[in-house]
């Protein structure tokens, strides 16, 4: 068995590598496991995480692991940064970390690690496993493997990984799933993995200030100029309440910075076509049904309504819901939230 450990140069991936190599439980679970480290790289990581490669390489050296670097610059720009900019210009609130996991880390990077394992580490495809420092677990049911929330619910990252394909998930190992973040920090500190020296990243790696400044840097000026212009703010009845800086400067749920009297007001929707921001009172926020598309199933795709639970953003509350029959070519589903 040969396992590639995705090394981010941070505490979590370093602790994951140490656990996989030294913890008696993992050594018993994965006997004769040869481990090597790999970092996926693009220029934005150099800016957001200076010294990343050096730290990751040093950890691998200390653990006696070979270390490799994979350059995924062009893929990251096309699959994550272009996607983020395009969706934002369309009035949506994209989640680039989910896209990165789907389109980069657990796809092309995974395949690159498999190639390295076979070509440089002496593995075969059947021997290969892929390890990351995510706080998530897996569980088997009915002969199938599923994502399971981490033991430390405050750090659970199953939401961020929900788009992993089933054929990739069966090769994944998540050593941190049973641990709390505090325990992982202790392990990192005990073994000198810079546990107290590295600030944990909470931000998008390619945005170091705000979304608009990023868009100005990233997009051609003529593209942004057509979208970034003053617009209007109206209430849910269509009554104009004032002027806006343009829809790009607002997000759903926003309360501050609207410049309106008789508040409080909240942004309840954004209309990019008419450059209009719709605001309402607190009770006008939210919805109890919505349409989902581009789904990724760990079970067979439902052919009838399904009772389930839904989580609409990272680290948020789950709600009981009913998945209704497909409403369009079998690809779009309506979720009705229940109290």
């Amino acid at each position: 068995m040969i396992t590639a450990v995705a090394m981010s140069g941070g505490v979590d991936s370093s602790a994951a590598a140490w656990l996989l190599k030294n913890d008696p439980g993992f050594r018993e679970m994965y006997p004769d496991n040869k481990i090597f480290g790999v970092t996926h790289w693009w220029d934005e990581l150099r800016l957001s995480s200076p010294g990343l490669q050096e730290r990751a390489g040093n950890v691998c050296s200390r653990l006696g692991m070979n270390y490799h670097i994979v350059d995924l610059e062009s893929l990251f720009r096309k699959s994550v940064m272009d996607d983020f900019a395009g969706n934002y210009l369309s009035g949506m609130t994209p989640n680039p970390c989910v896209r990165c996991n789907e389109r980069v880390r657990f796809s092309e990077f995974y395949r690159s690690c498999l190639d390295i394992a076979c070509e440089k580490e002496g593995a075969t495809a059947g021997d290969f496993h892929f390890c990351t420092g995510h706080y998530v677990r897996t569980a088997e049911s009915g002969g199938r493997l599923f994502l399971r929330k981490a033991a430390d619910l405050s750090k659970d990252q199953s939401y961020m990984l929900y788009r992993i394909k089933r054929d990739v998930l069966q090769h994944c190992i998540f050593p941190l799933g049973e641990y709390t973040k505090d325990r992982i920090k202790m392990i990192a500190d005990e073994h000198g993995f810079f546990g107290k020296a590295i600030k944990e990243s909470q931000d998008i790696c390619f945005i170091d200030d705000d979304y608009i400044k990023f868009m100005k840097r990233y997009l051609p000026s003529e593209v942004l100029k057509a979208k970034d212009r003053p617009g209007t703010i109206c209430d849910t009845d269509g009554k104009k309440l004032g002027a806006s800086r343009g829809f790009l400067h607002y997000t759903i749920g926003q309360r501050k910075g609207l410049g309106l009297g008789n508040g409080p007001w909240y942004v309840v929707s954004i209309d990019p076509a008419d450059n209009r921001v719709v605001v309402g009172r607190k009770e006008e926020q939210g919805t109890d049904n919505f349409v989902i598309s581009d789904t990724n199933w760990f079970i067979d795709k439902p052919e009838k309504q399904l009772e389930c639970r839904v989580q609409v953003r990272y680290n948020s509350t789950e709600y009981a819901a009913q998945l209704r029959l497909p409403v369009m070519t079998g690809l779009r589903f309506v979720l009705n939230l229940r109290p």
Side-chain angles (χ1 to χ4, degrees), residues 81-144:
M81 296 176 72
D82 287 357
D83 178 82
F84 176 88
N87 279 294
Y88 200 76
L89 289 176
S90 299
M92 293 184 281
T93 306
N95 190 324
C97 297
V98 171
R99 285 301 193 198
C100 180
N101 284 325
E102 173 195 8
R103 299 178 176 181
V104 179
R105 185 171 289 122
F106 289 90
S107 56
E108 188 58 37
F109 178 57
Y110 170 86
R111 288 188 287 271
S112 296
C113 290
L114 174 59
D115 290 342
I116 292 171
C118 294
E119 296 171 8
K120 299 182 180 181
E121 300 289 342
T124 64
D127 295 331
F128 177 72
H129 284 77
F130 182 64
C131 167
T132 73
H134 287 97
Y135 289 84
V136 68
R137 296 178 288 184
T138 58
E140 187 174 336
S141 177
R144 292 186 177 183

Side-chain angles (χ1 to χ4, degrees), residues 144-212:
R144 292 186 177 183
L145 198 64
F146 296 86
L147 282 173
R148 183 185 178 195
K149 289 192 173 187
D152 185 350
L153 293 178
S154 68
K155 295 299 296 182
D156 172 60
Q157 293 175 299
S158 57
Y159 176 87
M160 293 297 186
L161 304 184
Y162 77 90
R163 298 201 60 79
I164 297 179
K165 301 303 181 185
R166 285 189 297 183
D167 61 334
V168 172
L169 183 63
Q170 64 182 332
H171 295 281
C172 291
I173 302 174
F174 303 109
L176 307 193
E178 299 289 348
Y179 288 81
T180 64
K181 179 67 176 186
D182 287 342
R183 178 56 185 143
I184 291 303
K185 287 181 177 178
M186 290 177 60
I187 291 174
D189 190 40
E190 289 169 3
H191 299 283
F193 293 150
F194 37 79
K196 297 179 180 178
I198 301 300
K199 181 180 178 181
E200 186 174 4
S201 174
Q202 300 289 340
D203 301 316
I204 301 170
C205 69
F206 56 86
I207 297 180
D208 56 3
D209 33 47
D210 63 50
Y211 291 179
I212 299 299

Side-chain angles (χ1 to χ4, degrees), residues 4 7 11 23 37 69 114 122-124 126 152 158 203 234 246 251 272 296 309 328:
M7 301 296 296
V11 170
D23 180 79
I69 297 172
L114 174 59
T124 64
D152 185 350
S158 57
D203 301 316
C234 68
T251 57
N296 179 47
R309 300 187 67 82
M328 181 178 173

